[in-house]
Amino acid sequence: MADLKRAFADGDYTFALKYAAVAEYEKTEEKSLFATLRAALAGEWFLKDVREIIRLALIGGGTPPADALRLVRDYVEARPLAENTTLFTDILAATFFGVDEIEAANG
């Protein structure tokens, strides 16, 4: 699973959805990550999905869990949803297709 680097919150962060995090997400949410990607690409975001994917990807990218939770509370939960939907979709797409594909698509 590829590491995606993006500006977020108060700096630049690395995001990566690791296998164990994906398994946890799918078990907790009772849906596949692919279903979440499909919905995201269709513009059908669920608040909980945006929050959890960003939080799990921060942790997978090396952010300590307590810091990841603080960041999501301050910069996802406390902000308009649309501010984070591109990041959310990029994290999902990078997980499935790789960072090079996402960077090429974003120009």
Side-chain angles (χ1 to χ4, degrees):
M1 313 245 171
D3 291 355
L4 180 71
K5 297 185 185 339
R6 287 285 187 269
F8 172 71
D10 57 358
D12 293 327
Y13 289 87
T14 300
F15 298 86
L17 281 178
K18 305 294 183 182
Y19 187 89
V22 172
E24 172 191 331
Y25 173 82
E26 289 183 338
K27 181 179 178 185
T28 303
E29 298 304 315
E30 298 182 344
K31 64 181 169 185
S32 72
L33 192 67
F34 185 71
T36 303
L37 171 64
R38 231 182 17 237
L41 293 174
E44 299 173 3
W45 308 286
F46 289 89
L47 290 170
K48 187 176 183 182
D49 292 335
V50 173
R51 177 196 186 280
E52 281 305 294
I53 292 299
I54 292 173
R55 184 183 71 79
L56 291 170
L58 279 165
I59 294 168
T63 301
D67 292 343
L69 182 58
R70 178 189 56 80
L71 287 166
V72 215
R73 285 181 176 158
D74 292 348
Y75 295 98
V76 176
E77 292 177 8
R79 304 292 310 152
L81 177 60
E83 286 184 11
N84 292 292
T85 55
T86 299
L87 173 61
F88 164 69
T89 304
D90 282 353
I91 291 167
L92 291 170
T95 302
F96 279 95
F97 307 113
V99 173
D100 292 342
E101 294 295 320
I102 302 313
E103 298 302 336
N106 288 337

